[in-house]
Amino acid sequence: MFVSLNMRKLQSTNTSNLKQLVTLCPISYTLTLVGGRWKPLIINRLMKQPMRYSELKKSIPFVTERALTLQLKELEQDGLIQKIIHQEKPPRNIEYLLTEKGRSLHPVLSALYEWGKENNQPILMEIAP
């Protein structure tokens, strides 16, 4: 089991707590894998078809290159997506596709989508003058 711990010190209390939490609670494990601002959108896009980095970037207009790169790397490390490097001419560069583990998230994300659609209330944010 690999859970995205990229930004954590391996010996920290926070890392130890996260490891225990994802071991004890399957929901926490799942949310750790798909949590993140852009991961659900990335997975959603790849449910339809494999995509190149530039295609993913265009399909998620507000994501920064750094954020997209980090989220793709975490999804790959967690075994949800696979990065394919094509060695052909003309080169198609790198393509991302969902693994079987990633595809198995479809009903989970569909249920989250439906729940969000039914319960979404606009988030009111106070903006200081």
Side-chain angles (χ1 to χ4, degrees):
M1 167 185 70
F2 182 87
V3 176
S4 302
L5 301 172
N6 298 345
M7 304 302 284
R8 303 181 193 283
K9 294 179 184 173
L10 293 176
Q11 302 301 323
S12 73
T13 303
N14 195 13
T15 299
S16 176
N17 290 343
L18 177 61
K19 286 179 183 177
Q20 289 180 17
L21 180 62
V22 300
T23 301
L24 295 172
C25 179
I27 294 170
S28 294
Y29 170 74
T30 305
L31 291 175
T32 300
L33 290 181
V34 299
R37 182 172 291 174
W38 306 108
K39 286 181 183 180
L41 279 172
I42 293 168
I43 294 169
N44 176 270
R45 298 304 191 264
L46 295 177
M47 283 285 177
K48 297 172 183 138
Q49 65 188 18
M51 297 177 85
R52 296 192 314 250
Y53 178 89
S54 60
E55 294 170 325
L56 278 167
K57 177 76 174 91
K58 285 178 189 172
S59 74
I60 308 171
F62 301 111
V63 68
T64 64
E65 289 187 17
R66 182 178 188 278
L68 181 57
T69 300
L70 286 172
Q71 302 266 282
L72 286 168
K73 189 176 289 187
E74 287 180 11
L75 288 166
E76 183 181 12
Q77 289 173 337
D78 290 335
L80 300 178
I81 66 171
Q82 182 179 3
K83 180 165 83 171
I84 305 293
I85 302 171
H86 293 284
Q87 302 293 333
E88 57 187 41
K89 293 184 182 181
R92 289 192 297 166
N93 299 328
I94 297 171
E95 197 170 46
Y96 295 92
L97 61 119
L98 287 178
T99 61
E100 286 302 313
K101 183 178 178 181
R103 287 204 165 285
S104 70
L105 284 167
H106 188 267
V108 174
L109 295 176
S110 292
L112 286 171
Y113 172 83
E114 289 301 324
W115 188 91
K117 195 168 80 171
E118 290 173 15
N119 295 283
N120 188 11
Q121 298 296 319
I123 298 172
L124 300 175
M125 301 173 66
E126 287 188 30
I127 301 174

